[in-house]
Amino acid sequence: MASQWRGDNDDGPADWSPHFFKIILPNAVQEGKLRIPDKFVQKFGVDLSDMAFLTIPNGRKWKVKLTQHAGGVWFQNGWSEFASSHGVAVGHLLVFKYEGNSQFHVLIFDATATEIDYTLDDELQVHRIEDDESDDSSVEIIKHFYRGEGSGSAHPKKDGGVAKNLVIANAFTSENPLFTVIMRPSYVNGKDRASLPQDIINYLPRDGFTKDYTKASILPVKLQIVDRLWPVKLYIYERRGGSSCVVSAGWTAFVRENSLQVGDVCVFELIMRDGVLFNVHIFKCQD
């Protein structure tokens, strides 16, 4: 579903409201909560109550409890239900537009920087809240935090860097197929593997694959930056839920020698030349 955030006057300037980005990191999935950036809280925290309302482009509205701890403010009770219902996973990008009175409009982009399809499932109508429903227990939860007191966190700054990075990376164009990957902790911690977008499989040649004991189909490929090459292998796994693609067997060397870190964005440009070659464009995350 296409989304446009403009005012009623299409000829006038775009309707301005505060926005913030969040890249979903592993801790948000594991802990079932999402931290609101400190800078946003410092500016608008006095306007927040203990209950937030998240609206997605199909009109569905979700009620999520706000909590304050560890020096920050978090989407918590109800957040896991919101995230799971829309398939929010590590590497996804969420854009929050603040409308005041703890009301947020939310856009969700998957790990390929593509906006998801906001299907409306009648079975989940229980989560919808009528527009005229209000929360009488409007409790100011921020206290002194919005004045800048309290401990900070590196995560909001890191998320902001990734979001800007992802926008820049997504603007990169080529006549060749492009695949965007955000570096996760498991991709850079020495496990010698990283998941690549499933769509890559559609562009790979039919021949040249071998099999191993894991029943994966294996294809030797090369990663290139400028004039240097790194040999790696792609492992294609066929499962009931669909296929998956993993790069390994040389990935650790590529990560180490290019100083890749969590939050960096890599754009893999597929070039068919003397076998399969990916020209890799790295967009560094600035803390």
PDB file of all heavy atoms in Angstrom, residues 20-24 27-28 31-39 41-42 66-67 69-76 79 96 145 149-156 159:
ATOM      1  N   PHE A  20      10.790  10.037  13.693  1.00  0.00           N
ATOM      2  CA  PHE A  20      12.041   9.376  14.046  1.00  0.00           C
ATOM      3  C   PHE A  20      12.060   7.993  13.421  1.00  0.00           C
ATOM      4  O   PHE A  20      11.021   7.432  13.072  1.00  0.00           O
ATOM      5  CB  PHE A  20      12.272   9.312  15.568  1.00  0.00           C
ATOM      6  CG  PHE A  20      11.272   8.516  16.359  1.00  0.00           C
ATOM      7  CD1 PHE A  20      11.390   7.131  16.480  1.00  0.00           C
ATOM      8  CD2 PHE A  20      10.225   9.148  17.019  1.00  0.00           C
ATOM      9  CE1 PHE A  20      10.481   6.396  17.217  1.00  0.00           C
ATOM     10  CE2 PHE A  20       9.315   8.429  17.764  1.00  0.00           C
ATOM     11  CZ  PHE A  20       9.445   7.052  17.863  1.00  0.00           C
ATOM     12  N   PHE A  21      13.267   7.489  13.223  1.00  0.00           N
ATOM     13  CA  PHE A  21      13.474   6.175  12.618  1.00  0.00           C
ATOM     14  C   PHE A  21      13.941   5.187  13.689  1.00  0.00           C
ATOM     15  O   PHE A  21      14.609   5.566  14.637  1.00  0.00           O
ATOM     16  CB  PHE A  21      14.566   6.230  11.543  1.00  0.00           C
ATOM     17  CG  PHE A  21      14.310   7.195  10.424  1.00  0.00           C
ATOM     18  CD1 PHE A  21      14.677   8.532  10.540  1.00  0.00           C
ATOM     19  CD2 PHE A  21      13.727   6.761   9.255  1.00  0.00           C
ATOM     20  CE1 PHE A  21      14.462   9.425   9.510  1.00  0.00           C
ATOM     21  CE2 PHE A  21      13.509   7.647   8.207  1.00  0.00           C
ATOM     22  CZ  PHE A  21      13.875   8.978   8.334  1.00  0.00           C
ATOM     23  N   LYS A  22      13.605   3.936  13.496  1.00  0.00           N
ATOM     24  CA  LYS A  22      14.168   2.877  14.337  1.00  0.00           C
ATOM     25  C   LYS A  22      14.521   1.686  13.454  1.00  0.00           C
ATOM     26  O   LYS A  22      13.675   1.178  12.715  1.00  0.00           O
ATOM     27  CB  LYS A  22      13.172   2.419  15.411  1.00  0.00           C
ATOM     28  CG  LYS A  22      12.886   3.449  16.484  1.00  0.00           C
ATOM     29  CD  LYS A  22      14.092   3.750  17.352  1.00  0.00           C
ATOM     30  CE  LYS A  22      14.499   2.582  18.222  1.00  0.00           C
ATOM     31  NZ  LYS A  22      15.586   2.963  19.173  1.00  0.00           N
ATOM     32  N   ILE A  23      15.783   1.262  13.525  1.00  0.00           N
ATOM     33  CA  ILE A  23      16.189  -0.005  12.935  1.00  0.00           C
ATOM     34  C   ILE A  23      15.990  -1.074  14.003  1.00  0.00           C
ATOM     35  O   ILE A  23      16.421  -0.915  15.146  1.00  0.00           O
ATOM     36  CB  ILE A  23      17.661   0.025  12.508  1.00  0.00           C
ATOM     37  CG1 ILE A  23      17.850   1.008  11.334  1.00  0.00           C
ATOM     38  CG2 ILE A  23      18.140  -1.362  12.108  1.00  0.00           C
ATOM     39  CD1 ILE A  23      17.218   0.558  10.048  1.00  0.00           C
ATOM     40  N   ILE A  24      15.333  -2.162  13.640  1.00  0.00           N
ATOM     41  CA  ILE A  24      15.076  -3.218  14.613  1.00  0.00           C
ATOM     42  C   ILE A  24      16.349  -4.030  14.821  1.00  0.00           C
ATOM     43  O   ILE A  24      16.841  -4.695  13.900  1.00  0.00           O
ATOM     44  CB  ILE A  24      13.926  -4.126  14.153  1.00  0.00           C
ATOM     45  CG1 ILE A  24      12.657  -3.297  13.950  1.00  0.00           C
ATOM     46  CG2 ILE A  24      13.679  -5.229  15.177  1.00  0.00           C
ATOM     47  CD1 ILE A  24      12.196  -2.555  15.188  1.00  0.00           C
ATOM     48  N   ASN A  27      18.060  -6.970  20.210  1.00  0.00           N
ATOM     49  CA  ASN A  27      17.537  -6.821  21.562  1.00  0.00           C
ATOM     50  C   ASN A  27      16.064  -6.424  21.554  1.00  0.00           C
ATOM     51  O   ASN A  27      15.305  -6.784  22.462  1.00  0.00           O
ATOM     52  CB  ASN A  27      18.358  -5.793  22.349  1.00  0.00           C
ATOM     53  CG  ASN A  27      18.293  -4.403  21.745  1.00  0.00           C
ATOM     54  OD1 ASN A  27      18.295  -4.260  20.534  1.00  0.00           O
ATOM     55  ND2 ASN A  27      18.261  -3.391  22.582  1.00  0.00           N
ATOM     56  N   ALA A  28      15.616  -5.688  20.526  1.00  0.00           N
ATOM     57  CA  ALA A  28      14.209  -5.300  20.445  1.00  0.00           C
ATOM     58  C   ALA A  28      13.318  -6.514  20.241  1.00  0.00           C
ATOM     59  O   ALA A  28      12.198  -6.575  20.762  1.00  0.00           O
ATOM     60  CB  ALA A  28      13.999  -4.295  19.317  1.00  0.00           C
ATOM     61  N   GLU A  31      13.762  -8.857  23.700  1.00  0.00           N
ATOM     62  CA  GLU A  31      13.198  -8.302  24.922  1.00  0.00           C
ATOM     63  C   GLU A  31      11.747  -7.871  24.770  1.00  0.00           C
ATOM     64  O   GLU A  31      11.088  -7.549  25.757  1.00  0.00           O
ATOM     65  CB  GLU A  31      14.047  -7.105  25.381  1.00  0.00           C
ATOM     66  CG  GLU A  31      15.486  -7.488  25.694  1.00  0.00           C
ATOM     67  CD  GLU A  31      16.348  -6.274  25.997  1.00  0.00           C
ATOM     68  OE1 GLU A  31      15.790  -5.150  26.076  1.00  0.00           O
ATOM     69  OE2 GLU A  31      17.573  -6.442  26.146  1.00  0.00           O
ATOM     70  N   GLY A  32      11.227  -7.841  23.542  1.00  0.00           N
ATOM     71  CA  GLY A  32       9.837  -7.494  23.327  1.00  0.00           C
ATOM     72  C   GLY A  32       9.505  -6.051  23.653  1.00  0.00           C
ATOM     73  O   GLY A  32       8.400  -5.742  24.099  1.00  0.00           O
ATOM     74  N   LYS A  33      10.437  -5.154  23.387  1.00  0.00           N
ATOM     75  CA  LYS A  33      10.201  -3.733  23.634  1.00  0.00           C
ATOM     76  C   LYS A  33      11.087  -2.921  22.708  1.00  0.00           C
ATOM     77  O   LYS A  33      12.076  -3.427  22.167  1.00  0.00           O
ATOM     78  CB  LYS A  33      10.484  -3.372  25.095  1.00  0.00           C
ATOM     79  CG  LYS A  33      11.919  -3.636  25.528  1.00  0.00           C
ATOM     80  CD  LYS A  33      12.106  -3.360  27.023  1.00  0.00           C
ATOM     81  CE  LYS A  33      13.547  -3.641  27.450  1.00  0.00           C
ATOM     82  NZ  LYS A  33      13.754  -3.421  28.886  1.00  0.00           N
ATOM     83  N   LEU A  34      10.721  -1.647  22.506  1.00  0.00           N
ATOM     84  CA  LEU A  34      11.466  -0.782  21.597  1.00  0.00           C
ATOM     85  C   LEU A  34      11.648   0.576  22.240  1.00  0.00           C
ATOM     86  O   LEU A  34      10.688   1.206  22.690  1.00  0.00           O
ATOM     87  CB  LEU A  34      10.705  -0.628  20.276  1.00  0.00           C
ATOM     88  CG  LEU A  34      11.439   0.133  19.167  1.00  0.00           C
ATOM     89  CD1 LEU A  34      12.605  -0.699  18.631  1.00  0.00           C
ATOM     90  CD2 LEU A  34      10.479   0.487  18.037  1.00  0.00           C
ATOM     91  N   ARG A  35      12.879   1.029  22.281  1.00  0.00           N
ATOM     92  CA  ARG A  35      13.188   2.295  22.932  1.00  0.00           C
ATOM     93  C   ARG A  35      12.930   3.472  21.995  1.00  0.00           C
ATOM     94  O   ARG A  35      13.340   3.466  20.830  1.00  0.00           O
ATOM     95  CB  ARG A  35      14.644   2.315  23.400  1.00  0.00           C
ATOM     96  CG  ARG A  35      15.027   3.599  24.150  1.00  0.00           C
ATOM     97  CD  ARG A  35      16.357   3.450  24.846  1.00  0.00           C
ATOM     98  NE  ARG A  35      16.718   4.645  25.609  1.00  0.00           N
ATOM     99  CZ  ARG A  35      17.575   4.635  26.622  1.00  0.00           C
ATOM    100  NH1 ARG A  35      18.135   3.504  26.995  1.00  0.00           N
ATOM    101  NH2 ARG A  35      17.855   5.752  27.266  1.00  0.00           N
ATOM    102  N   ILE A  36      12.267   4.486  22.506  1.00  0.00           N
ATOM    103  CA  ILE A  36      12.050   5.728  21.771  1.00  0.00           C
ATOM    104  C   ILE A  36      13.330   6.556  21.881  1.00  0.00           C
ATOM    105  O   ILE A  36      13.903   6.661  22.967  1.00  0.00           O
ATOM    106  CB  ILE A  36      10.853   6.500  22.347  1.00  0.00           C
ATOM    107  CG1 ILE A  36       9.581   5.657  22.233  1.00  0.00           C
ATOM    108  CG2 ILE A  36      10.665   7.832  21.626  1.00  0.00           C
ATOM    109  CD1 ILE A  36       8.365   6.299  22.858  1.00  0.00           C
ATOM    110  N   PRO A  37      13.808   7.142  20.782  1.00  0.00           N
ATOM    111  CA  PRO A  37      15.060   7.903  20.846  1.00  0.00           C
ATOM    112  C   PRO A  37      15.035   8.987  21.922  1.00  0.00           C
ATOM    113  O   PRO A  37      14.038   9.696  22.090  1.00  0.00           O
ATOM    114  CB  PRO A  37      15.169   8.518  19.446  1.00  0.00           C
ATOM    115  CG  PRO A  37      14.424   7.570  18.572  1.00  0.00           C
ATOM    116  CD  PRO A  37      13.279   7.082  19.403  1.00  0.00           C
ATOM    117  N   ASP A  38      16.121   9.104  22.645  1.00  0.00           N
ATOM    118  CA  ASP A  38      16.210  10.059  23.752  1.00  0.00           C
ATOM    119  C   ASP A  38      15.943  11.493  23.302  1.00  0.00           C
ATOM    120  O   ASP A  38      15.283  12.273  23.994  1.00  0.00           O
ATOM    121  CB  ASP A  38      17.605   9.983  24.390  1.00  0.00           C
ATOM    122  CG  ASP A  38      17.847   8.657  25.087  1.00  0.00           C
ATOM    123  OD1 ASP A  38      16.903   7.855  25.149  1.00  0.00           O
ATOM    124  OD2 ASP A  38      18.969   8.436  25.559  1.00  0.00           O
ATOM    125  N   LYS A  39      16.472  11.861  22.141  1.00  0.00           N
ATOM    126  CA  LYS A  39      16.313  13.236  21.677  1.00  0.00           C
ATOM    127  C   LYS A  39      14.842  13.563  21.454  1.00  0.00           C
ATOM    128  O   LYS A  39      14.381  14.676  21.756  1.00  0.00           O
ATOM    129  CB  LYS A  39      17.111  13.454  20.390  1.00  0.00           C
ATOM    130  CG  LYS A  39      17.164  14.908  19.937  1.00  0.00           C
ATOM    131  CD  LYS A  39      18.105  15.072  18.761  1.00  0.00           C
ATOM    132  CE  LYS A  39      18.189  16.531  18.319  1.00  0.00           C
ATOM    133  NZ  LYS A  39      19.118  16.699  17.162  1.00  0.00           N
ATOM    134  N   VAL A  41      12.322  12.141  23.039  1.00  0.00           N
ATOM    135  CA  VAL A  41      11.702  12.225  24.362  1.00  0.00           C
ATOM    136  C   VAL A  41      12.017  13.563  25.021  1.00  0.00           C
ATOM    137  O   VAL A  41      11.162  14.174  25.674  1.00  0.00           O
ATOM    138  CB  VAL A  41      12.177  11.051  25.248  1.00  0.00           C
ATOM    139  CG1 VAL A  41      11.641  11.195  26.668  1.00  0.00           C
ATOM    140  CG2 VAL A  41      11.717   9.721  24.655  1.00  0.00           C
ATOM    141  N   GLN A  42      13.235  14.015  24.856  1.00  0.00           N
ATOM    142  CA  GLN A  42      13.612  15.299  25.457  1.00  0.00           C
ATOM    143  C   GLN A  42      12.776  16.446  24.890  1.00  0.00           C
ATOM    144  O   GLN A  42      12.432  17.381  25.604  1.00  0.00           O
ATOM    145  CB  GLN A  42      15.104  15.553  25.215  1.00  0.00           C
ATOM    146  CG  GLN A  42      16.004  14.627  26.014  1.00  0.00           C
ATOM    147  CD  GLN A  42      17.448  14.656  25.539  1.00  0.00           C
ATOM    148  OE1 GLN A  42      17.807  15.480  24.688  1.00  0.00           O
ATOM    149  NE2 GLN A  42      18.267  13.767  26.065  1.00  0.00           N
ATOM    150  N   LEU A  66       3.466   2.606  27.256  1.00  0.00           N
ATOM    151  CA  LEU A  66       4.781   3.220  27.378  1.00  0.00           C
ATOM    152  C   LEU A  66       5.299   3.024  28.793  1.00  0.00           C
ATOM    153  O   LEU A  66       4.556   3.201  29.760  1.00  0.00           O
ATOM    154  CB  LEU A  66       4.716   4.720  27.072  1.00  0.00           C
ATOM    155  CG  LEU A  66       4.403   5.138  25.634  1.00  0.00           C
ATOM    156  CD1 LEU A  66       4.407   6.658  25.516  1.00  0.00           C
ATOM    157  CD2 LEU A  66       5.380   4.527  24.656  1.00  0.00           C
ATOM    158  N   THR A  67       6.555   2.644  28.906  1.00  0.00           N
ATOM    159  CA  THR A  67       7.167   2.476  30.219  1.00  0.00           C
ATOM    160  C   THR A  67       8.461   3.279  30.267  1.00  0.00           C
ATOM    161  O   THR A  67       9.081   3.567  29.239  1.00  0.00           O
ATOM    162  CB  THR A  67       7.477   0.998  30.517  1.00  0.00           C
ATOM    163  OG1 THR A  67       8.394   0.494  29.529  1.00  0.00           O
ATOM    164  CG2 THR A  67       6.215   0.160  30.498  1.00  0.00           C
ATOM    165  N   HIS A  69      12.177   3.236  32.078  1.00  0.00           N
ATOM    166  CA  HIS A  69      13.194   2.570  32.893  1.00  0.00           C
ATOM    167  C   HIS A  69      14.510   2.594  32.138  1.00  0.00           C
ATOM    168  O   HIS A  69      14.561   2.927  30.954  1.00  0.00           O
ATOM    169  CB  HIS A  69      12.785   1.123  33.233  1.00  0.00           C
ATOM    170  CG  HIS A  69      12.579   0.248  32.035  1.00  0.00           C
ATOM    171  ND1 HIS A  69      13.581  -0.493  31.469  1.00  0.00           N
ATOM    172  CD2 HIS A  69      11.479   0.010  31.292  1.00  0.00           C
ATOM    173  CE1 HIS A  69      13.109  -1.167  30.437  1.00  0.00           C
ATOM    174  NE2 HIS A  69      11.843  -0.877  30.296  1.00  0.00           N
ATOM    175  N   ALA A  70      15.574   2.289  32.838  1.00  0.00           N
ATOM    176  CA  ALA A  70      16.931   2.277  32.264  1.00  0.00           C
ATOM    177  C   ALA A  70      17.253   3.616  31.601  1.00  0.00           C
ATOM    178  O   ALA A  70      17.971   3.670  30.607  1.00  0.00           O
ATOM    179  CB  ALA A  70      17.089   1.127  31.269  1.00  0.00           C
ATOM    180  N   GLY A  71      16.720   4.691  32.173  1.00  0.00           N
ATOM    181  CA  GLY A  71      17.025   6.013  31.658  1.00  0.00           C
ATOM    182  C   GLY A  71      16.345   6.367  30.359  1.00  0.00           C
ATOM    183  O   GLY A  71      16.702   7.359  29.716  1.00  0.00           O
ATOM    184  N   GLY A  72      15.344   5.586  29.939  1.00  0.00           N
ATOM    185  CA  GLY A  72      14.681   5.855  28.672  1.00  0.00           C
ATOM    186  C   GLY A  72      13.201   5.547  28.724  1.00  0.00           C
ATOM    187  O   GLY A  72      12.661   5.104  29.737  1.00  0.00           O
ATOM    188  N   VAL A  73      12.534   5.785  27.611  1.00  0.00           N
ATOM    189  CA  VAL A  73      11.107   5.510  27.465  1.00  0.00           C
ATOM    190  C   VAL A  73      10.939   4.479  26.354  1.00  0.00           C
ATOM    191  O   VAL A  73      11.572   4.582  25.293  1.00  0.00           O
ATOM    192  CB  VAL A  73      10.325   6.796  27.131  1.00  0.00           C
ATOM    193  CG1 VAL A  73       8.844   6.494  26.911  1.00  0.00           C
ATOM    194  CG2 VAL A  73      10.487   7.815  28.258  1.00  0.00           C
ATOM    195  N   TRP A  74      10.069   3.492  26.586  1.00  0.00           N
ATOM    196  CA  TRP A  74       9.968   2.334  25.706  1.00  0.00           C
ATOM    197  C   TRP A  74       8.520   2.054  25.305  1.00  0.00           C
ATOM    198  O   TRP A  74       7.603   2.226  26.110  1.00  0.00           O
ATOM    199  CB  TRP A  74      10.506   1.079  26.409  1.00  0.00           C
ATOM    200  CG  TRP A  74      11.872   1.211  26.991  1.00  0.00           C
ATOM    201  CD1 TRP A  74      12.244   1.943  28.098  1.00  0.00           C
ATOM    202  CD2 TRP A  74      13.085   0.615  26.505  1.00  0.00           C
ATOM    203  NE1 TRP A  74      13.591   1.823  28.331  1.00  0.00           N
ATOM    204  CE2 TRP A  74      14.138   1.017  27.372  1.00  0.00           C
ATOM    205  CE3 TRP A  74      13.371  -0.234  25.438  1.00  0.00           C
ATOM    206  CZ2 TRP A  74      15.449   0.601  27.185  1.00  0.00           C
ATOM    207  CZ3 TRP A  74      14.679  -0.642  25.256  1.00  0.00           C
ATOM    208  CH2 TRP A  74      15.711  -0.233  26.118  1.00  0.00           C
ATOM    209  N   PHE A  75       8.331   1.585  24.057  1.00  0.00           N
ATOM    210  CA  PHE A  75       7.110   0.887  23.697  1.00  0.00           C
ATOM    211  C   PHE A  75       7.243  -0.519  24.287  1.00  0.00           C
ATOM    212  O   PHE A  75       8.190  -1.230  23.968  1.00  0.00           O
ATOM    213  CB  PHE A  75       6.963   0.773  22.175  1.00  0.00           C
ATOM    214  CG  PHE A  75       6.771   2.083  21.466  1.00  0.00           C
ATOM    215  CD1 PHE A  75       7.724   2.551  20.582  1.00  0.00           C
ATOM    216  CD2 PHE A  75       5.618   2.838  21.660  1.00  0.00           C
ATOM    217  CE1 PHE A  75       7.548   3.752  19.909  1.00  0.00           C
ATOM    218  CE2 PHE A  75       5.428   4.041  20.992  1.00  0.00           C
ATOM    219  CZ  PHE A  75       6.390   4.498  20.124  1.00  0.00           C
ATOM    220  N   GLN A  76       6.294  -0.938  25.128  1.00  0.00           N
ATOM    221  CA  GLN A  76       6.475  -2.242  25.764  1.00  0.00           C
ATOM    222  C   GLN A  76       5.216  -3.107  25.678  1.00  0.00           C
ATOM    223  O   GLN A  76       5.040  -3.817  24.687  1.00  0.00           O
ATOM    224  CB  GLN A  76       6.939  -2.083  27.212  1.00  0.00           C
ATOM    225  CG  GLN A  76       7.405  -3.410  27.819  1.00  0.00           C
ATOM    226  CD  GLN A  76       8.359  -3.218  28.981  1.00  0.00           C
ATOM    227  OE1 GLN A  76       8.716  -2.104  29.343  1.00  0.00           O
ATOM    228  NE2 GLN A  76       8.800  -4.308  29.583  1.00  0.00           N
ATOM    229  N   TRP A  79       3.713  -4.146  22.393  1.00  0.00           N
ATOM    230  CA  TRP A  79       4.657  -3.988  21.289  1.00  0.00           C
ATOM    231  C   TRP A  79       4.923  -5.313  20.577  1.00  0.00           C
ATOM    232  O   TRP A  79       4.960  -5.373  19.339  1.00  0.00           O
ATOM    233  CB  TRP A  79       5.976  -3.401  21.774  1.00  0.00           C
ATOM    234  CG  TRP A  79       7.019  -3.432  20.685  1.00  0.00           C
ATOM    235  CD1 TRP A  79       8.079  -4.272  20.561  1.00  0.00           C
ATOM    236  CD2 TRP A  79       7.041  -2.601  19.521  1.00  0.00           C
ATOM    237  NE1 TRP A  79       8.768  -4.025  19.411  1.00  0.00           N
ATOM    238  CE2 TRP A  79       8.149  -3.001  18.744  1.00  0.00           C
ATOM    239  CE3 TRP A  79       6.234  -1.564  19.065  1.00  0.00           C
ATOM    240  CZ2 TRP A  79       8.457  -2.394  17.536  1.00  0.00           C
ATOM    241  CZ3 TRP A  79       6.547  -0.952  17.856  1.00  0.00           C
ATOM    242  CH2 TRP A  79       7.650  -1.380  17.109  1.00  0.00           C
ATOM    243  N   PHE A  96       8.394   6.517  12.414  1.00  0.00           N
ATOM    244  CA  PHE A  96       7.317   6.976  13.280  1.00  0.00           C
ATOM    245  C   PHE A  96       7.057   8.458  13.025  1.00  0.00           C
ATOM    246  O   PHE A  96       7.972   9.274  13.105  1.00  0.00           O
ATOM    247  CB  PHE A  96       7.687   6.771  14.756  1.00  0.00           C
ATOM    248  CG  PHE A  96       7.787   5.342  15.177  1.00  0.00           C
ATOM    249  CD1 PHE A  96       8.940   4.602  14.900  1.00  0.00           C
ATOM    250  CD2 PHE A  96       6.749   4.713  15.847  1.00  0.00           C
ATOM    251  CE1 PHE A  96       9.044   3.278  15.293  1.00  0.00           C
ATOM    252  CE2 PHE A  96       6.843   3.388  16.246  1.00  0.00           C
ATOM    253  CZ  PHE A  96       7.992   2.670  15.970  1.00  0.00           C
ATOM    254  N   PHE A 145      12.887  13.549  32.712  1.00  0.00           N
ATOM    255  CA  PHE A 145      13.704  13.023  31.622  1.00  0.00           C
ATOM    256  C   PHE A 145      13.709  13.947  30.412  1.00  0.00           C
ATOM    257  O   PHE A 145      14.706  14.120  29.750  1.00  0.00           O
ATOM    258  CB  PHE A 145      13.191  11.646  31.203  1.00  0.00           C
ATOM    259  CG  PHE A 145      14.084  10.968  30.195  1.00  0.00           C
ATOM    260  CD1 PHE A 145      15.181  10.235  30.617  1.00  0.00           C
ATOM    261  CD2 PHE A 145      13.850  11.083  28.838  1.00  0.00           C
ATOM    262  CE1 PHE A 145      16.008   9.624  29.701  1.00  0.00           C
ATOM    263  CE2 PHE A 145      14.680  10.476  27.922  1.00  0.00           C
ATOM    264  CZ  PHE A 145      15.747   9.746  28.349  1.00  0.00           C
ATOM    265  N   GLU A 149      17.701  15.041  31.751  1.00  0.00           N
ATOM    266  CA  GLU A 149      18.314  14.342  32.871  1.00  0.00           C
ATOM    267  C   GLU A 149      18.169  12.843  32.657  1.00  0.00           C
ATOM    268  O   GLU A 149      17.315  12.364  31.944  1.00  0.00           O
ATOM    269  CB  GLU A 149      17.645  14.755  34.175  1.00  0.00           C
ATOM    270  CG  GLU A 149      17.789  16.247  34.448  1.00  0.00           C
ATOM    271  CD  GLU A 149      17.078  16.670  35.715  1.00  0.00           C
ATOM    272  OE1 GLU A 149      16.786  15.782  36.531  1.00  0.00           O
ATOM    273  OE2 GLU A 149      16.814  17.858  35.887  1.00  0.00           O
ATOM    274  N   GLY A 150      18.997  12.089  33.351  1.00  0.00           N
ATOM    275  CA  GLY A 150      18.938  10.642  33.228  1.00  0.00           C
ATOM    276  C   GLY A 150      20.018  10.147  32.289  1.00  0.00           C
ATOM    277  O   GLY A 150      20.610  10.890  31.525  1.00  0.00           O
ATOM    278  N   SER A 151      20.254   8.832  32.348  1.00  0.00           N
ATOM    279  CA  SER A 151      21.321   8.250  31.536  1.00  0.00           C
ATOM    280  C   SER A 151      20.863   8.097  30.101  1.00  0.00           C
ATOM    281  O   SER A 151      19.697   7.897  29.825  1.00  0.00           O
ATOM    282  CB  SER A 151      21.718   6.877  32.100  1.00  0.00           C
ATOM    283  OG  SER A 151      20.618   6.001  32.097  1.00  0.00           O
ATOM    284  N   GLY A 152      21.807   8.179  29.190  1.00  0.00           N
ATOM    285  CA  GLY A 152      21.486   8.037  27.781  1.00  0.00           C
ATOM    286  C   GLY A 152      21.781   6.637  27.294  1.00  0.00           C
ATOM    287  O   GLY A 152      22.129   5.756  28.062  1.00  0.00           O
ATOM    288  N   SER A 153      21.629   6.441  25.992  1.00  0.00           N
ATOM    289  CA  SER A 153      21.895   5.146  25.400  1.00  0.00           C
ATOM    290  C   SER A 153      22.479   5.346  24.019  1.00  0.00           C
ATOM    291  O   SER A 153      22.116   6.288  23.322  1.00  0.00           O
ATOM    292  CB  SER A 153      20.601   4.328  25.300  1.00  0.00           C
ATOM    293  OG  SER A 153      20.807   3.180  24.507  1.00  0.00           O
ATOM    294  N   ALA A 154      23.365   4.452  23.644  1.00  0.00           N
ATOM    295  CA  ALA A 154      23.963   4.570  22.313  1.00  0.00           C
ATOM    296  C   ALA A 154      23.026   4.083  21.232  1.00  0.00           C
ATOM    297  O   ALA A 154      23.195   4.404  20.074  1.00  0.00           O
ATOM    298  CB  ALA A 154      25.272   3.758  22.255  1.00  0.00           C
ATOM    299  N   HIS A 155      22.022   3.277  21.597  1.00  0.00           N
ATOM    300  CA  HIS A 155      21.172   2.679  20.571  1.00  0.00           C
ATOM    301  C   HIS A 155      20.425   3.682  19.720  1.00  0.00           C
ATOM    302  O   HIS A 155      20.394   3.545  18.507  1.00  0.00           O
ATOM    303  CB  HIS A 155      20.187   1.695  21.206  1.00  0.00           C
ATOM    304  CG  HIS A 155      20.856   0.450  21.687  1.00  0.00           C
ATOM    305  ND1 HIS A 155      21.634  -0.331  20.868  1.00  0.00           N
ATOM    306  CD2 HIS A 155      20.864  -0.146  22.905  1.00  0.00           C
ATOM    307  CE1 HIS A 155      22.093  -1.360  21.555  1.00  0.00           C
ATOM    308  NE2 HIS A 155      21.644  -1.265  22.789  1.00  0.00           N
ATOM    309  N   PRO A 156      19.781   4.724  20.309  1.00  0.00           N
ATOM    310  CA  PRO A 156      19.079   5.662  19.434  1.00  0.00           C
ATOM    311  C   PRO A 156      19.999   6.335  18.426  1.00  0.00           C
ATOM    312  O   PRO A 156      19.641   6.518  17.285  1.00  0.00           O
ATOM    313  CB  PRO A 156      18.474   6.676  20.410  1.00  0.00           C
ATOM    314  CG  PRO A 156      18.336   5.926  21.697  1.00  0.00           C
ATOM    315  CD  PRO A 156      19.539   5.026  21.726  1.00  0.00           C
ATOM    316  N   ASP A 159      20.788   3.752  15.780  1.00  0.00           N
ATOM    317  CA  ASP A 159      19.657   3.546  14.898  1.00  0.00           C
ATOM    318  C   ASP A 159      19.546   4.683  13.898  1.00  0.00           C
ATOM    319  O   ASP A 159      19.288   4.477  12.721  1.00  0.00           O
ATOM    320  CB  ASP A 159      18.359   3.457  15.710  1.00  0.00           C
ATOM    321  CG  ASP A 159      18.240   2.131  16.442  1.00  0.00           C
ATOM    322  OD1 ASP A 159      19.162   1.323  16.303  1.00  0.00           O
ATOM    323  OD2 ASP A 159      17.247   1.916  17.138  1.00  0.00           O
TER     324      ASP A 159
END
